[in-house]
Amino acid sequence: MRILAVLAVLCVACPAAAAPHDRTERLLGELADAPGPSGYEEAVRRVMVRELTPLAEKITYDGVGSVIAQHGASGPKVMLDAHMDELGGMVRRVTPTGFLSMQMLGGWLDQALPDQRWIIIGRKGPVHAVTGIRDVHVVPADERTRVFSRDSLYLDVGARNAAEVAALGISPGDPVVPDSPFVALPGGRYLGKAWDDRVGCAVVIEALRRLRASGHPNQLYVAATVQEEIGLRGARTAADLIKPDIGIAIEGGIAGDSPGRSPEETQAVLGGGPGLFLYDSSTLPNRRFVTLVGDVAMAKDIPLQRDLVQGYGDDSAAIQATAGGVPTINLVVPARYTHAHNGIIDRADFDRTVDLVVALIQRLDAPTVARLRNFAPNR
Protein backbone atom coordinates (compact mmCIF):
# COMPACT_ATOMS: atom_id res chain seq x y z
CA MET A 1 0.00 0.00 0.00
CA ARG A 2 2.86 2.38 0.84
CA ILE A 3 4.41 1.79 -2.61
CA LEU A 4 1.09 2.45 -4.33
CA ALA A 5 0.64 5.68 -2.37
CA VAL A 6 4.11 6.89 -3.33
CA LEU A 7 3.46 6.08 -6.99
CA ALA A 8 0.18 7.98 -6.85
CA VAL A 9 1.93 11.06 -5.45
CA LEU A 10 4.65 10.83 -8.08
CA CYS A 11 2.07 10.61 -10.87
CA VAL A 12 0.27 13.70 -9.59
CA ALA A 13 3.59 15.55 -9.41
CA CYS A 14 4.62 14.62 -12.95
CA PRO A 15 4.82 17.56 -15.39
CA ALA A 16 1.90 17.89 -17.76
CA ALA A 17 2.28 15.66 -20.79
CA ALA A 18 0.07 14.41 -23.56
CA ALA A 19 -2.07 11.56 -22.28
CA PRO A 20 -1.74 8.35 -24.29
CA HIS A 21 -4.15 8.38 -27.19
CA ASP A 22 -5.63 11.77 -26.30
CA ARG A 23 -7.90 13.55 -28.76
CA THR A 24 -5.09 15.37 -30.52
CA GLU A 25 -2.97 12.25 -30.90
CA ARG A 26 -5.92 10.34 -32.30
CA LEU A 27 -6.63 13.17 -34.75
CA LEU A 28 -3.01 13.31 -35.90
CA GLY A 29 -2.97 9.56 -36.41
CA GLU A 30 -6.22 9.54 -38.35
CA LEU A 31 -5.12 12.39 -40.60
CA ALA A 32 -1.69 10.89 -41.25
CA ASP A 33 -3.14 7.49 -42.12
CA ALA A 34 -5.86 8.85 -44.42
CA PRO A 35 -5.01 8.32 -48.11
CA GLY A 36 -5.01 11.57 -50.03
CA PRO A 37 -2.60 12.18 -52.90
CA SER A 38 -3.12 15.30 -54.99
CA GLY A 39 -6.49 15.21 -56.71
CA TYR A 40 -7.75 12.31 -54.57
CA GLU A 41 -8.26 13.98 -51.20
CA GLU A 42 -11.69 12.47 -50.44
CA ALA A 43 -10.70 10.53 -47.29
CA VAL A 44 -8.94 13.54 -45.77
CA ARG A 45 -11.81 15.83 -46.74
CA ARG A 46 -14.25 13.61 -44.82
CA VAL A 47 -12.16 13.97 -41.66
CA MET A 48 -11.80 17.73 -42.08
CA VAL A 49 -15.51 18.29 -42.69
CA ARG A 50 -16.42 16.08 -39.72
CA GLU A 51 -14.10 18.02 -37.42
CA LEU A 52 -14.75 21.54 -38.74
CA THR A 53 -18.55 21.40 -39.06
CA PRO A 54 -19.37 21.65 -35.33
CA LEU A 55 -16.82 24.47 -34.93
CA ALA A 56 -17.86 26.64 -37.88
CA GLU A 57 -20.87 28.75 -38.71
CA LYS A 58 -20.73 27.77 -42.36
CA ILE A 59 -18.98 25.15 -44.51
CA THR A 60 -18.51 25.72 -48.23
CA TYR A 61 -16.33 24.27 -51.00
CA ASP A 62 -14.48 25.65 -53.97
CA GLY A 63 -14.75 24.10 -57.40
CA VAL A 64 -11.77 21.75 -57.01
CA GLY A 65 -12.62 20.30 -53.60
CA SER A 66 -11.11 22.59 -50.96
CA VAL A 67 -13.09 22.94 -47.72
CA ILE A 68 -13.77 26.44 -46.35
CA ALA A 69 -15.03 26.75 -42.76
CA GLN A 70 -16.15 30.22 -41.69
CA HIS A 71 -16.36 31.54 -38.14
CA GLY A 72 -17.15 35.15 -37.31
CA ALA A 73 -19.19 37.68 -39.27
CA SER A 74 -17.28 40.93 -38.79
CA GLY A 75 -13.73 42.22 -38.84
CA PRO A 76 -10.87 41.50 -41.25
CA LYS A 77 -11.02 38.39 -43.41
CA VAL A 78 -8.29 36.07 -42.15
CA MET A 79 -7.54 32.98 -44.24
CA LEU A 80 -5.97 30.17 -42.22
CA ASP A 81 -4.76 27.54 -44.67
CA ALA A 82 -3.49 23.96 -44.61
CA HIS A 83 -3.43 21.59 -47.57
CA MET A 84 -4.97 18.12 -47.48
CA ASP A 85 -3.03 16.41 -50.25
CA GLU A 86 0.13 14.38 -49.86
CA LEU A 87 2.78 13.05 -52.18
CA GLY A 88 1.66 9.92 -53.99
CA GLY A 89 1.08 8.65 -57.47
CA MET A 90 -1.39 7.13 -59.87
CA VAL A 91 -1.40 3.98 -61.91
CA ARG A 92 -0.15 4.77 -65.40
CA ARG A 93 -0.25 1.47 -67.29
CA VAL A 94 -0.60 -2.27 -66.67
CA THR A 95 1.89 -4.60 -68.37
CA PRO A 96 0.87 -7.98 -69.87
CA THR A 97 2.80 -9.68 -67.05
CA GLY A 98 0.81 -7.91 -64.32
CA PHE A 99 3.18 -5.12 -63.28
CA LEU A 100 2.04 -1.47 -63.07
CA SER A 101 3.92 1.66 -64.00
CA MET A 102 3.26 4.71 -61.81
CA GLN A 103 2.97 8.43 -62.47
CA MET A 104 4.42 10.22 -59.43
CA LEU A 105 2.46 13.13 -57.94
CA GLY A 106 4.57 15.73 -56.16
CA GLY A 107 8.25 16.24 -55.49
CA TRP A 108 9.61 12.78 -54.76
CA LEU A 109 13.30 11.95 -54.55
CA ASP A 110 14.09 8.99 -56.78
CA GLN A 111 16.12 7.37 -54.00
CA ALA A 112 13.03 7.33 -51.74
CA LEU A 113 11.00 5.14 -54.10
CA PRO A 114 12.49 1.63 -54.55
CA ASP A 115 11.46 -1.27 -52.30
CA GLN A 116 8.63 0.67 -50.65
CA ARG A 117 5.14 -0.50 -49.80
CA TRP A 118 2.17 1.30 -51.34
CA ILE A 119 -1.61 1.13 -51.33
CA ILE A 120 -3.56 1.44 -54.57
CA ILE A 121 -7.12 2.74 -54.14
CA GLY A 122 -8.96 0.69 -56.74
CA ARG A 123 -12.67 0.45 -57.45
CA LYS A 124 -12.95 -2.67 -55.26
CA GLY A 125 -10.99 -1.15 -52.39
CA PRO A 126 -7.35 -0.87 -51.33
CA VAL A 127 -4.72 -3.17 -52.87
CA HIS A 128 -1.25 -3.54 -51.38
CA ALA A 129 1.77 -3.19 -53.65
CA VAL A 130 5.53 -2.79 -53.55
CA THR A 131 7.96 -1.00 -55.82
CA GLY A 132 10.40 -3.75 -56.69
CA ILE A 133 14.15 -3.59 -56.46
CA ARG A 134 16.85 -5.64 -58.17
CA ASP A 135 18.43 -8.34 -56.07
CA VAL A 136 21.92 -7.51 -54.79
CA HIS A 137 23.11 -10.95 -55.89
CA VAL A 138 22.67 -10.09 -59.55
CA VAL A 139 23.39 -6.35 -59.63
CA PRO A 140 26.87 -5.60 -61.02
CA ALA A 141 29.22 -4.05 -58.49
CA ASP A 142 29.43 -0.75 -60.35
CA GLU A 143 25.62 -0.34 -60.18
CA ARG A 144 25.09 -1.10 -56.49
CA THR A 145 25.36 2.53 -55.39
CA ARG A 146 23.44 3.95 -58.34
CA VAL A 147 20.09 5.72 -57.89
CA PHE A 148 17.60 4.30 -60.34
CA SER A 149 15.11 6.54 -62.10
CA ARG A 150 11.45 6.50 -61.08
CA ASP A 151 10.62 5.61 -64.69
CA SER A 152 12.40 2.28 -64.20
CA LEU A 153 10.22 1.29 -61.23
CA TYR A 154 7.10 -0.85 -61.32
CA LEU A 155 4.41 -1.63 -58.77
CA ASP A 156 4.09 -5.32 -57.98
CA VAL A 157 0.69 -6.45 -56.61
CA GLY A 158 1.48 -10.15 -56.91
CA ALA A 159 -0.53 -10.54 -60.11
CA ARG A 160 0.54 -12.96 -62.84
CA ASN A 161 -0.96 -11.03 -65.75
CA ALA A 162 -3.09 -8.03 -66.68
CA ALA A 163 -6.32 -9.98 -66.20
CA GLU A 164 -5.49 -10.63 -62.55
CA VAL A 165 -4.77 -6.92 -62.07
CA ALA A 166 -8.17 -6.07 -63.54
CA ALA A 167 -9.81 -8.63 -61.25
CA LEU A 168 -8.38 -6.74 -58.28
CA GLY A 169 -10.30 -3.65 -59.42
CA ILE A 170 -7.22 -1.73 -60.56
CA SER A 171 -7.08 0.41 -63.68
CA PRO A 172 -5.02 3.34 -65.00
CA GLY A 173 -5.65 6.56 -63.08
CA ASP A 174 -6.19 4.89 -59.71
CA PRO A 175 -4.47 6.77 -56.85
CA VAL A 176 -1.44 5.32 -55.06
CA VAL A 177 -0.32 6.29 -51.55
CA PRO A 178 2.54 5.25 -49.24
CA ASP A 179 1.76 2.38 -46.87
CA SER A 180 3.22 3.82 -43.66
CA PRO A 181 0.98 3.50 -40.58
CA PHE A 182 1.08 6.07 -37.77
CA VAL A 183 3.10 5.12 -34.68
CA ALA A 184 3.44 7.00 -31.39
CA LEU A 185 7.13 6.96 -30.48
CA PRO A 186 8.62 7.42 -27.00
CA GLY A 187 9.06 10.97 -25.77
CA GLY A 188 6.03 12.50 -27.43
CA ARG A 189 7.14 12.09 -31.03
CA TYR A 190 5.06 10.67 -33.85
CA LEU A 191 6.11 8.59 -36.85
CA GLY A 192 3.90 8.59 -39.92
CA LYS A 193 3.43 9.61 -43.50
CA ALA A 194 2.10 12.87 -44.94
CA TRP A 195 3.07 15.26 -42.14
CA ASP A 196 3.30 17.61 -45.10
CA ASP A 197 0.63 18.73 -44.50
CA ARG A 198 -1.60 16.66 -42.25
CA VAL A 199 0.11 18.23 -39.27
CA GLY A 200 -1.11 21.59 -40.63
CA CYS A 201 -4.62 20.19 -41.03
CA ALA A 202 -4.63 19.23 -37.35
CA VAL A 203 -3.27 22.65 -36.33
CA VAL A 204 -6.07 24.56 -38.05
CA ILE A 205 -8.72 22.27 -36.51
CA GLU A 206 -7.37 22.71 -33.00
CA ALA A 207 -6.86 26.46 -33.50
CA LEU A 208 -10.47 26.90 -34.62
CA ARG A 209 -11.66 24.82 -31.67
CA ARG A 210 -9.94 27.19 -29.26
CA LEU A 211 -10.81 30.39 -31.11
CA ARG A 212 -14.47 29.43 -31.18
CA ALA A 213 -14.38 29.15 -27.40
CA SER A 214 -12.24 32.21 -26.67
CA GLY A 215 -13.39 34.57 -29.42
CA HIS A 216 -11.46 36.59 -31.97
CA PRO A 217 -11.91 39.92 -33.83
CA ASN A 218 -12.07 38.51 -37.36
CA GLN A 219 -13.98 36.81 -40.07
CA LEU A 220 -11.94 33.64 -39.88
CA TYR A 221 -11.86 31.32 -42.89
CA VAL A 222 -10.19 27.97 -42.27
CA ALA A 223 -9.30 26.55 -45.69
CA ALA A 224 -8.31 22.90 -46.13
CA THR A 225 -7.01 23.03 -49.67
CA VAL A 226 -6.29 20.51 -52.43
CA GLN A 227 -3.49 19.92 -54.92
CA GLU A 228 -0.80 21.95 -53.18
CA GLU A 229 1.88 19.43 -54.08
CA ILE A 230 1.31 19.87 -57.81
CA GLY A 231 1.06 23.64 -58.02
CA LEU A 232 -0.68 25.31 -55.03
CA ARG A 233 -3.96 25.01 -56.91
CA GLY A 234 -6.55 24.75 -54.16
CA ALA A 235 -5.14 27.69 -52.20
CA ARG A 236 -5.62 29.92 -55.22
CA THR A 237 -9.20 28.84 -55.91
CA ALA A 238 -10.15 29.03 -52.23
CA ALA A 239 -8.61 32.50 -51.91
CA ASP A 240 -10.52 33.60 -55.01
CA LEU A 241 -13.73 32.85 -53.11
CA ILE A 242 -12.65 34.17 -49.71
CA LYS A 243 -10.89 37.35 -50.89
CA PRO A 244 -8.87 37.51 -47.66
CA ASP A 245 -7.32 40.59 -46.10
CA ILE A 246 -4.58 38.51 -44.53
CA GLY A 247 -3.29 34.95 -45.05
CA ILE A 248 -1.61 32.40 -42.79
CA ALA A 249 -0.39 29.09 -44.23
CA ILE A 250 0.37 26.23 -41.84
CA GLU A 251 2.81 23.65 -43.14
CA GLY A 252 5.10 20.81 -42.23
CA GLY A 253 8.56 22.31 -41.93
CA ILE A 254 12.00 20.83 -42.55
CA ALA A 255 14.08 19.79 -39.55
CA GLY A 256 17.83 19.86 -40.02
CA ASP A 257 18.88 18.03 -36.87
CA SER A 258 19.54 14.58 -38.29
CA PRO A 259 23.14 13.46 -39.02
CA GLY A 260 24.79 14.59 -42.23
CA ARG A 261 22.84 17.81 -42.69
CA SER A 262 24.42 21.12 -43.58
CA PRO A 263 23.27 24.12 -41.50
CA GLU A 264 22.75 25.99 -44.77
CA GLU A 265 19.92 23.60 -45.70
CA THR A 266 17.77 24.38 -42.67
CA GLN A 267 18.44 25.14 -39.02
CA ALA A 268 15.14 24.02 -37.48
CA VAL A 269 15.21 21.23 -34.89
CA LEU A 270 12.52 18.94 -33.52
CA GLY A 271 11.37 20.19 -30.13
CA GLY A 272 12.51 23.75 -30.84
CA GLY A 273 9.03 25.17 -31.36
CA PRO A 274 7.10 26.39 -34.39
CA GLY A 275 8.95 27.71 -37.41
CA LEU A 276 8.52 30.91 -39.39
CA PHE A 277 9.78 31.00 -42.97
CA LEU A 278 11.59 34.22 -43.89
CA TYR A 279 12.15 32.97 -47.45
CA ASP A 280 11.33 30.07 -49.68
CA SER A 281 11.47 29.62 -53.43
CA SER A 282 7.78 30.45 -53.89
CA THR A 283 7.24 33.55 -51.77
CA LEU A 284 8.56 36.28 -49.51
CA PRO A 285 6.43 36.96 -46.43
CA ASN A 286 5.10 40.38 -45.46
CA ARG A 287 7.85 41.95 -43.34
CA ARG A 288 5.50 43.66 -40.89
CA PHE A 289 3.65 40.39 -40.47
CA VAL A 290 6.96 38.65 -39.68
CA THR A 291 7.64 41.23 -36.97
CA LEU A 292 4.16 40.74 -35.52
CA VAL A 293 4.64 36.98 -35.32
CA GLY A 294 7.89 37.50 -33.43
CA ASP A 295 6.24 39.95 -31.03
CA VAL A 296 3.33 37.59 -30.34
CA ALA A 297 5.66 34.62 -29.81
CA MET A 298 7.78 36.63 -27.37
CA ALA A 299 4.77 37.89 -25.47
CA LYS A 300 3.43 34.35 -25.10
CA ASP A 301 6.85 32.84 -24.32
CA ILE A 302 6.64 30.58 -27.36
CA PRO A 303 10.01 29.59 -28.88
CA LEU A 304 10.12 30.54 -32.56
CA GLN A 305 12.50 29.12 -35.16
CA ARG A 306 13.14 31.47 -38.05
CA ASP A 307 14.39 29.80 -41.21
CA LEU A 308 15.12 30.25 -44.91
CA VAL A 309 14.68 27.22 -47.15
CA GLN A 310 15.40 26.90 -50.85
CA GLY A 311 13.57 24.38 -53.00
CA TYR A 312 10.34 24.78 -51.01
CA GLY A 313 6.95 26.15 -51.96
CA ASP A 314 3.75 26.62 -49.99
CA ASP A 315 0.18 27.86 -50.21
CA SER A 316 1.02 31.32 -48.90
CA ALA A 317 2.48 32.10 -52.34
CA ALA A 318 -0.85 31.45 -54.05
CA ILE A 319 -2.82 33.35 -51.40
CA GLN A 320 -0.42 36.30 -51.63
CA ALA A 321 -1.10 36.76 -55.34
CA THR A 322 -4.91 36.98 -55.11
CA ALA A 323 -7.40 39.75 -54.33
CA GLY A 324 -5.01 42.49 -55.40
CA GLY A 325 -2.28 41.23 -53.05
CA VAL A 326 -2.54 39.70 -49.56
CA PRO A 327 0.00 39.95 -46.71
CA THR A 328 0.96 36.37 -45.87
CA ILE A 329 3.25 34.26 -43.72
CA ASN A 330 4.08 30.57 -43.59
CA LEU A 331 4.21 28.96 -40.13
CA VAL A 332 5.48 25.40 -39.86
CA VAL A 333 5.65 22.45 -37.49
CA PRO A 334 9.18 21.05 -37.99
CA ALA A 335 9.27 17.53 -39.44
CA ARG A 336 12.06 15.13 -40.30
CA TYR A 337 12.15 13.31 -43.64
CA THR A 338 9.36 15.11 -45.50
CA HIS A 339 8.44 13.99 -49.03
CA ALA A 340 9.18 10.38 -48.17
CA HIS A 341 7.28 7.40 -46.77
CA ASN A 342 8.03 8.10 -43.10
CA GLY A 343 8.45 11.32 -41.14
CA ILE A 344 8.72 12.32 -37.49
CA ILE A 345 7.21 15.28 -35.65
CA ASP A 346 7.32 16.40 -32.02
CA ARG A 347 4.07 16.84 -30.11
CA ALA A 348 5.41 19.86 -28.20
CA ASP A 349 6.08 21.65 -31.50
CA PHE A 350 2.51 20.94 -32.57
CA ASP A 351 1.01 22.26 -29.32
CA ARG A 352 3.14 25.41 -29.41
CA THR A 353 2.18 26.05 -33.01
CA VAL A 354 -1.49 25.95 -32.06
CA ASP A 355 -0.74 28.34 -29.19
CA LEU A 356 0.98 30.74 -31.59
CA VAL A 357 -1.75 30.61 -34.23
CA VAL A 358 -4.47 31.29 -31.67
CA ALA A 359 -2.61 34.20 -30.10
CA LEU A 360 -1.73 35.65 -33.50
CA ILE A 361 -5.28 35.57 -34.84
CA GLN A 362 -6.54 37.21 -31.67
CA ARG A 363 -4.15 40.08 -32.40
CA LEU A 364 -5.34 40.56 -35.99
CA ASP A 365 -8.00 43.18 -35.35
CA ALA A 366 -8.94 45.78 -37.96
CA PRO A 367 -6.28 48.41 -37.04
CA THR A 368 -3.53 45.77 -36.97
CA VAL A 369 -4.50 44.33 -40.35
CA ALA A 370 -4.74 47.84 -41.80
CA ARG A 371 -1.15 48.51 -40.70
CA LEU A 372 0.04 45.28 -42.29
CA ARG A 373 -1.62 46.24 -45.56
CA ASN A 374 -0.44 49.88 -45.60
CA PHE A 375 2.48 50.49 -47.96
CA ALA A 376 2.19 54.27 -48.20
CA PRO A 377 5.59 55.92 -47.57
CA ASN A 378 6.05 57.70 -44.24
CA ARG A 379 6.26 61.44 -44.57
Side-chain angles (χ1 to χ4, degrees), residues 44 146 201 271 274:
V44 189
R146 183 182 302 174
C201 290

Short mmCIF file of all heavy atoms in Angstrom, two decimals, residues 44 146 201 271 274:
data_model
loop_
_atom_site.label_atom_id
_atom_site.label_comp_id
_atom_site.label_asym_id
_atom_site.label_seq_id
_atom_site.Cartn_x
_atom_site.Cartn_y
_atom_site.Cartn_z
N VAL A 44 -9.36 12.45 -46.66
CA VAL A 44 -8.94 13.54 -45.77
C VAL A 44 -10.06 14.57 -45.65
O VAL A 44 -10.33 15.09 -44.56
CB VAL A 44 -7.66 14.20 -46.30
CG1 VAL A 44 -7.11 15.18 -45.26
CG2 VAL A 44 -6.61 13.16 -46.65
N ARG A 146 24.11 3.06 -57.40
CA ARG A 146 23.44 3.95 -58.34
C ARG A 146 21.98 4.18 -57.90
O ARG A 146 21.31 3.28 -57.41
CB ARG A 146 23.47 3.36 -59.73
CG ARG A 146 22.85 4.25 -60.81
CD ARG A 146 22.88 3.58 -62.16
NE ARG A 146 24.25 3.22 -62.57
CZ ARG A 146 24.52 2.53 -63.66
NH1 ARG A 146 23.54 2.08 -64.43
NH2 ARG A 146 25.78 2.26 -63.96
N CYS A 201 -3.17 20.41 -41.11
CA CYS A 201 -4.62 20.19 -41.03
C CYS A 201 -5.06 20.08 -39.58
O CYS A 201 -6.10 20.63 -39.17
CB CYS A 201 -5.01 18.92 -41.79
SG CYS A 201 -4.86 19.07 -43.59
N GLY A 271 11.44 19.77 -31.52
CA GLY A 271 11.37 20.19 -30.13
C GLY A 271 11.74 21.63 -29.90
O GLY A 271 11.68 22.11 -28.77
N PRO A 274 7.56 26.13 -33.03
CA PRO A 274 7.10 26.39 -34.39
C PRO A 274 8.14 27.16 -35.19
O PRO A 274 9.00 27.85 -34.64
CB PRO A 274 5.83 27.23 -34.18
CG PRO A 274 5.96 27.80 -32.81
CD PRO A 274 6.73 26.80 -32.01
#
